[in-house]
Amino acid sequence: MSLPHAILTALLEKPSSGLGLTRRFDKSIGYFWSATHQQIYRELGKLEAEGYIRELPSEQPARGQKKSYEVLPAGRAELARWTALSQDPKPLRDTMLLRLRAAAVVGTAGVEADLRRHLALHQAQLTEYQEIQERDFPPGKDTPEDRLRHLVLRAGIDLETFWTQWLTHAIEEFAELDAAGD
């Protein structure tokens, strides 16, 4: 049930339209909780029906105008309730790790090339996160809200650092396996 809570969070940060939320998911929340445009619109309808959000009155009624939403007190209370819950970590489910396990029994054809592709993708994501950190979190920007947002970004940086290091090691292992097989 995290998508509704991600939407409530985004709307508390800034009232938005569904399209605005989709764009913000693509640029921030989507780095750790993704959602499609259709999923966001579907959830907006549910949140509105539950009394957690409401459509903001438009200044000039016009056909096809984007609806913007804001969080109601019940939505803020629901988000606070959910934030205070205890949750266990989710088990890691990664297709690449499963493919490596399978490669041990059926062979490694194509795996090393995909490891290299994954490494390039993780390096690009790490670079993007580091650029965001430099741009959005200069020294002295340390309000409680900024510190918590930076903490989330640091998780992304640390995860991408882990993956780039692990993938580099995995590629080195493949080189050793190839050398041993010659």
Side-chain angles (χ1 to χ4, degrees):
M1 191 164 173
S2 295
L3 179 56
H5 297 101
I7 291 171
L8 288 171
T9 299
L11 288 175
L12 278 169
E13 290 174 340
K14 179 182 177 189
S16 300
S17 66
L19 180 59
L21 283 171
T22 299
R23 288 179 179 150
R24 289 174 54 213
F25 263 71
D26 289 346
K27 293 181 182 176
S28 62
I29 291 174
Y31 287 123
F32 57 90
W33 197 268
S34 62
T36 66
H37 189 69
Q38 292 82 8
Q39 290 171 314
I40 289 171
Y41 273 96
R42 194 169 36 250
E43 276 314 315
L44 285 170
K46 290 177 187 176
L47 290 168
E48 190 172 25
E50 291 170 2
Y52 291 157
I53 66 171
R54 73 174 180 125
E55 181 182 341
L56 288 169
S58 60
E59 294 181 16
Q60 297 178 355
R63 189 172 173 196
Q65 184 176 0
K66 294 185 289 185
K67 294 180 183 179
S68 287
Y69 297 90
E70 69 177 353
V71 177
L72 295 169
R76 180 181 284 276
E78 168 56 22
L79 187 59
R81 181 203 65 78
W82 178 78
T83 301
L85 289 177
S86 176
Q87 289 186 322
D88 293 335
K90 299 287 183 218
L92 176 63
R93 291 177 55 157
D94 188 275
T95 305
M96 178 56 78
L97 297 177
L98 182 57
R99 289 176 56 215
L100 281 174
R101 183 71 184 245
V105 293
V106 298
T108 61
V111 175
E112 183 177 1
D114 209 33
L115 285 170
R116 291 182 185 284
R117 187 179 71 81
H118 278 238
L119 177 58
L121 292 169
H122 283 286
Q123 287 171 328
Q125 189 65 68
L126 177 58
T127 299
E128 185 174 351
Y129 285 164
Q130 289 168 332
E131 289 169 355
I132 292 169
Q133 178 176 252
E134 190 174 311
R135 180 192 71 221
D136 293 349
F137 298 100
K141 188 171 184 182
D142 61 355
T143 67
E145 295 84 1
D146 288 332
R147 291 176 71 178
L148 290 174
R149 287 181 185 114
H150 192 197
L151 190 59
V152 172
L153 179 61
R154 282 295 319 168
I157 290 170
D158 291 348
L159 285 169
E160 294 303 331
T161 299
F162 161 78
W163 281 115
T164 57
Q165 290 172 347
W166 182 85
L167 286 159
T168 299
H169 176 73
I171 291 165
E172 290 168 356
E173 285 288 325
F174 266 76
E176 289 181 25
L177 291 171
D178 287 346
D182 291 340

